[in-house]
Amino acid sequence: MAILVTGGAGYIGSHTCVELLNAGYEIVVLDNFINSKPEAIKRISEITGQSFKSYNIDLLDEKKVNEIFLENAIEAVIHFAGLKAVGESVYLPLRYYHNNITGTLVLCETMKKYNVKKLVFSSSATVYGMPGKFPISEDFPLEALNPYGRTKLMIEEILHDLYVSDNSWSVALLRYFNPIGAHDSGLIGEDPNGIPNNLMPYITQVAVGKLEELNVFGNQYPTKDGSGVRDYIHVVDLAAGHLKALQKVSNSTGVEAYNLGTGKGYSVLEMVSAFEKASGKKVPYKIVEARPGDAAVCYADPVKAKQELKWAAVKNINEMCKDSWRWQVNNPNGYDNKIEVFQSPHMSKSEDFFIKS
Ligand SMILES: NC(=O)c1ccc[n+]([C@@H]2O[C@H](COP(=O)([O-])OP(=O)(O)OC[C@H]3O[C@@H](n4cnc5c(N)ncnc54)[C@H](O)[C@@H]3O)[C@@H](O)[C@H]2O)c1
Ligand SMILES: CC(=O)N[C@H]1[C@@H](OP(=O)(O)OP(=O)(O)OC[C@H]2O[C@@H](n3ccc(=O)[nH]c3=O)[C@H](O)[C@@H]2O)O[C@H](CO)[C@@H](O)[C@@H]1O
């Protein structure tokens, strides 16, 4: 029996594939590489020394998705595939609704057809909107402030409705806070297209000399130093949370939401100095206008995940910064070209992976 990982070549998906393979799961990856590279699949194999099936398929292609379920004994699905750029979603709402929502509908229809009813879904802390009270627990009111956020909220509701219609489904809605960091091999990490929107990839690109300086969006927030505060979580901790959620959905039915965060908030300026300390690199910055729509503060109450999933983040801010930096230095152009610094003990097995289209 295998776990289907949609979006498995992406940032969080690739790290989760590594953890799944290391834990002995068989996996099947579905990705159309709209925001990732096949090289990520190869590197997952390099890190783990294991081969697995990877399908170059669009989740919207119902016929091909169907074939995956026909060809493989899928027992559960971890569903990462989706578009995730908030700003872009404002300009291209139909693309976001179609890709994220229709993609999920195709997936769930196919799962239903093959009697696969265990699902772990990538939701986001964005579903809390701007709560103004912290830490954020799962029972806070939900509100989406942009089309991307609305796709997450709508999918959560769709999955609730699905469970109401058939209570043999088991669904975990994982609301991620701010994933950063990379696998400590330096082989996989976040590979944004163009100029990064998010803080950590922007910092690493300044430190590596690709960008001149960081723009700190606002220093007048009611926070310790005036810059925005977020709950940064190491992507490997986040990946481990998916394995715990998978165990949970495998042993129960229902729909449950879980915050995956550390419960600690760091400001932008604290992140700059933590990064400088971890990397030994200076990060020049200037203070600019606050980014419209940004919250001052956002951090999780992670207690529910600790109690019900037996999961808690363990990696600290120094490890997050060090690992982000190692990935950036080893791969200044992301997956496009790699400077060989690390020699994986499993390198010889990497040709075992294959991509099917
Ligand atoms: N990274 C974050 O900060 C963050 C925070 C909260 C939630 N999320 C959610 O987690 C999930 C994974 O995020 P990520 O950071 O790894 O993003 P990512 O873009 O790196 O990974 C998403 C993957 O899905 C694939 N994909 C997109 N649409 C597809 C389709 N129609 N068919 C097949 N494959 C498709 C992309 O090619 C990519 O490999 C997303 O759903 C995202 O919305 C991410
Ligand atoms: C607009 C946007 O993309 N929002 C997403 C982003 O928000 P979120 O704002 O939390 O994450 P970012 O990484 O974009 O920003 C983190 C902090 O750094 C600041 N900052 C960021 C970049 C920069 O160049 N300079 C700077 O000062 C921001 O103002 C913020 O205070 O990640 C969240 C978690 O993954 C998602 O739920 C949000 O939907």
Side-chain angles (χ1 to χ4, degrees):
M1 296 293 275
I3 310 300
L4 175 63
V5 185
T6 76
Y11 174 45
I12 306 168
S14 57
H15 288 83
T16 304
C17 287
V18 167
E19 297 307 307
L20 287 166
L21 289 166
N22 284 343
Y25 285 97
E26 191 187 324
I27 65 167
V28 172
V29 168
L30 176 165
D31 204 302
N32 65 355
F33 304 108
I34 186 94
N35 197 39
S36 56
K37 306 267 164 54
E39 177 66 19
I41 299 293
K42 202 170 157 190
R43 304 246 186 125
I44 297 167
S45 268
E46 284 183 24
I47 293 169
T48 59
Q50 296 186 50
S51 57
F52 56 92
K53 283 193 201 171
S54 172
Y55 291 83
N56 181 354
I57 281 178
D58 192 320
L59 196 51
L60 299 172
D61 188 337
E62 194 160 359
K63 197 162 157 271
K64 287 197 170 156
V65 175
N66 203 72
E67 281 168 17
I68 296 187
F69 282 78
L70 261 181
E71 288 174 17
N72 301 282
I74 305 294
E75 64 176 311
V77 179
I78 306 183
H79 177 31
F80 295 102
L83 298 171
K84 64 165 183 177
V86 173
E88 188 183 62
S89 79
V90 175
Y91 296 103
L92 301 172
L94 299 180
R95 181 159 185 242
Y96 271 70
Y97 287 122
H98 189 49
N99 191 75
N100 293 3
I101 294 178
T102 313
T104 304
L105 294 178
V106 168
L107 176 68
C108 291
E109 282 287 4
T110 316
M111 289 175 69
K112 190 174 151 200
K113 188 167 159 194
Y114 288 88
N115 204 29
V116 178
K117 295 181 178 173
K118 298 182 183 318
L119 177 65
V120 176
F121 171 63
S122 296
S123 188
S124 168
T126 196
V127 299
Y128 296 115
M130 295 240 208
K133 207 175 92 187
F134 305 96
I136 300 170
S137 54
E138 289 82 353
D139 55 4
F140 271 35
L142 303 180
E143 178 196 19
L145 303 174
N146 52 63
Y148 165 72
R150 272 187 279 281
T151 69
K152 293 296 176 194
L153 205 47
M154 285 178 195
I155 294 168
E156 286 202 1
E157 286 170 354
I158 289 167
L159 296 173
H160 270 289
D161 288 341
L162 187 55
Y163 173 70
V164 170
S165 75
D166 172 358
N167 55 27
S168 61
W169 278 82
S170 182
V171 180
L173 310 170
L174 302 184
R175 296 177 181 157
Y176 312 151
F177 280 69
N178 290 60
I180 60 169
H183 191 264
D184 65 8
S185 63
L187 285 167
I188 55 172
E190 188 170 11
D191 184 15
N193 283 326
I195 296 177
N197 294 312
N198 299 115
L199 181 65
M200 184 49 83
Y202 204 107
I203 288 180
T204 60
Q205 292 199 12
V206 169
V208 86
K210 289 181 78 176
L211 295 169
E212 205 180 320
E213 61 183 350
L214 171 70
N215 295 313
V216 174
F217 297 147
N219 67 348
Q220 300 296 320
Y221 287 114
T223 60
K224 43 198 147 185
D225 57 26
S227 64
V229 167
R230 295 290 184 275
D231 185 338
Y232 297 95
I233 173 169
H234 197 296
V235 67
V236 172
D237 277 337
L238 194 65
H242 289 73
L243 272 68
K244 295 293 191 181
L246 191 59
Q247 284 166 15
K248 173 82 180 175
V249 297
S250 300
N251 298 321
S252 59
T253 56
V255 184
E256 285 295 335
Y258 298 100
N259 286 341
L260 296 189
T262 65
K264 293 190 198 77
Y266 287 90
S267 74
V268 176
L269 296 177
E270 283 175 328
M271 291 304 287
V272 169
S273 71
F275 181 84
E276 287 181 336
K277 195 163 154 236
S279 66
K281 286 273 169 186
K282 200 82 201 134
V283 179
Y285 68 84
K286 67 169 185 293
I287 309 288
V288 300
E289 287 284 287
R291 184 168 62 180
D294 263 4
V297 178
C298 180
Y299 59 91
D301 178 345
V303 164
K304 185 177 175 191
K306 190 166 186 189
Q307 286 174 345
E308 295 185 18
L309 300 180
K310 316 286 176 230
W311 170 90
V314 294
K315 290 180 183 282
N316 63 31
I317 210 75
N318 186 48
E319 289 165 289
M320 297 181 212
C321 292
K322 265 194 174 354
D323 291 339
S324 292
W325 179 231
R326 187 183 301 105
W327 156 252
Q328 179 71 72
V329 166
N330 286 2
N331 308 269
N333 297 316
Y335 288 112
D336 282 341
N337 62 24
K338 176 183 148 201
I339 297 171
E340 285 283 358
V341 174
F342 290 93
Q343 190 63 37
S344 158
H346 305 300
M347 219 64 116
S348 58
K349 289 199 173 176
S350 64
E351 64 273 14
D352 288 351
F353 93 95
F354 66 93
I355 295 172
K356 198 165 172 209
S357 54

